[in-house]
Amino acid sequence: MRLPVPRKDGIVTRRVGLNSGGSTVLVEPHRVHKGVFICNGQSDQLHTVGKPEQNDLSHIVQYRDGSMVSYRLWSSSGSDLAAVLAKTGRTTHIKPRACVLYLGADYRTTSHVSDIVGPYGMVYAVAPSSSLDPSYLARKCHNVEWIFEDPMKPETYRERITVDVSVLLSEVHGPDQVKMMYMNASYFMKAGGRFVVSVKGDFRELDFPFTIAMDVIDDEYDELVDKQFEPSWDVKLAEDHVYFVGAYLGIRTCF
């Protein structure tokens, strides 16, 4: 199964969650982010190809050859990662065939990353717990392995990640986030792997009420470099919230 390549002459036969009226829709692959699409020229509204889920807003497009493709709206208001992709013109390396280790996994974002990497990619979604039934999650995303363990203890799930990870995505905010990334990279990342990390400057607020947010973010940047994570670019979502993207220069030390 190959990821569908959209034509530019599709007809909307149903808009899931909005209406069932048919109208012309222009679908284009994103010029930077492979596996991501733009509908009707609205570059701030990203879409991925996948089966619509409850409460999804989707374009279900029928092409002249009779094929139908569902483009799921990936709202930047509900996903920080979607906001990053919408704001930047540089790749995060989350793309078709990638193997992504997602620490602090959110179900909605995971489902879209699953769409992007496609049937030949894999997402290992690590989260401490979930209110969702694991069997339900497995049925919804066949290329996702849900791991309900503490991301600070990668040794507890080392046998469940069977291939080298090409992208490490971390959205676990806290003073030990970089240490956690390094521990997981030591177990699972291949040489030259990439990372995407969300850093918030307010996690020390209760203990250090006078700490300036950017000072905290600068400290996290320095710690990334110290642990052999080399940021190559960043995106600021708010004064106290930055995503860093770059390369991991270390090697696997745990097997």
Side-chain angles (χ1 to χ4, degrees), residues 226-241:
D226 184 61
K227 295 295 187 183
Q228 296 184 290
F229 293 97
E230 185 175 90
S232 54
W233 56 274
D234 61 78
V235 173
K236 181 185 288 188
L237 296 184
E239 287 301 318
D240 63 346
H241 191 188

Side-chain angles (χ1 to χ4, degrees), residues 131-189:
S131 59
L132 296 174
D133 178 9
S135 62
Y136 166 82
L137 297 173
R139 289 195 303 271
K140 298 299 288 185
C141 301
H142 298 291
N143 60 350
V144 176
E145 175 78 18
W146 282 93
I147 300 172
F148 298 121
E149 299 284 355
D150 183 352
M152 284 294 292
K153 299 178 180 179
E155 67 276 8
T156 62
Y157 48 88
R158 60 186 299 180
E159 295 184 359
R160 298 183 62 181
I161 299 180
T162 57
V163 297
D164 289 343
V165 169
S166 56
V167 180
L168 174 59
L169 168 62
S170 178
E171 293 185 326
V172 180
H173 304 117
D176 293 324
Q177 178 170 217
V178 177
K179 178 182 178 181
M180 177 196 65
M181 291 172 59
Y182 178 72
M183 293 169 63
N184 279 270
S186 297
Y187 273 97
F188 308 119
M189 284 199 77

Side-chain angles (χ1 to χ4, degrees), residues 40-172:
N40 293 331
Q42 296 177 304
S43 59
D44 60 333
Q45 295 187 15
L46 307 181
H47 295 73
T48 61
V49 172
K51 184 179 179 180
E53 300 187 13
Q54 187 176 7
N55 299 323
D56 265 354
L57 300 180
S58 303
H59 289 296
I60 297 182
V61 181
Q62 183 174 6
Y63 295 107
R64 288 180 177 175
D65 62 2
S67 63
M68 298 182 68
V69 180
S70 173
Y71 298 92
R72 302 173 55 218
L73 176 64
W74 191 9
S75 173
S76 58
S77 63
S79 169
D80 289 338
L81 182 60
V84 169
L85 268 60
K87 290 187 68 170
T88 184
R90 305 182 68 175
T91 181
T92 61
H93 298 276
I94 298 174
K95 58 186 179 181
R97 296 178 178 266
C99 179
V100 179
L101 174 58
Y102 183 6
L103 306 178
D106 165 79
Y107 173 71
R108 183 66 64 177
T109 297
T110 299
S111 71
H112 286 284
V113 174
S114 167
D115 290 345
I116 292 172
V117 303
Y120 298 111
M122 189 68 189
V123 182
Y124 293 98
V126 183
S129 63
S130 174
S131 59
L132 296 174
D133 178 9
S135 62
Y136 166 82
L137 297 173
R139 289 195 303 271
K140 298 299 288 185
C141 301
H142 298 291
N143 60 350
V144 176
E145 175 78 18
W146 282 93
I147 300 172
F148 298 121
E149 299 284 355
D150 183 352
M152 284 294 292
K153 299 178 180 179
E155 67 276 8
T156 62
Y157 48 88
R158 60 186 299 180
E159 295 184 359
R160 298 183 62 181
I161 299 180
T162 57
V163 297
D164 289 343
V165 169
S166 56
V167 180
L168 174 59
L169 168 62
S170 178
E171 293 185 326
V172 180

